[in-house]
Amino acid sequence: MRAIVVVAGDVDERDVWPYAVWADSDGTSTTLNVHVHDSQELVGVLAALTALGLEVTSTRVVDDPGGSGPSSMLR
């Protein structure tokens, strides 16, 4: 399962490894790619990012190619 997580501010990818892979930043927010096995693991990753002092502003689960189920907004 893959999720797109947006956090406030500019984040160095070394700060979020191994939880997420840096994808893009515009200076005011950073988009991260997160690969997890299930929603429980995603919640754990979001908690870890928050514990690092990052403000998670949105999370969106996206369908993996060949996966089943619609994309959904979590937050």
Side-chain angles (χ1 to χ4, degrees), residues 4 10-11 15 22-23 26 28 31-32 40 46 49 55-57 65 69:
I4 305 299
D10 192 17
V11 177
D15 293 337
W22 181 90
D26 64 6
T28 59
T31 302
L32 305 170
Q40 184 176 1
L46 296 175
L49 294 174
E55 179 187 350
V56 176
T57 58

Side-chain angles (χ1 to χ4, degrees), residues 12-43:
D12 187 312
E13 79 178 288
R14 293 172 289 188
D15 293 337
V16 295
W17 186 89
Y19 307 109
V21 177
W22 181 90
D24 190 28
S25 179
D26 64 6
T28 59
S29 66
T30 301
T31 302
L32 305 170
N33 283 310
V34 177
H35 292 274
V36 293
H37 293 99
D38 56 28
S39 59
Q40 184 176 1
E41 187 177 6
L42 177 58
V43 170

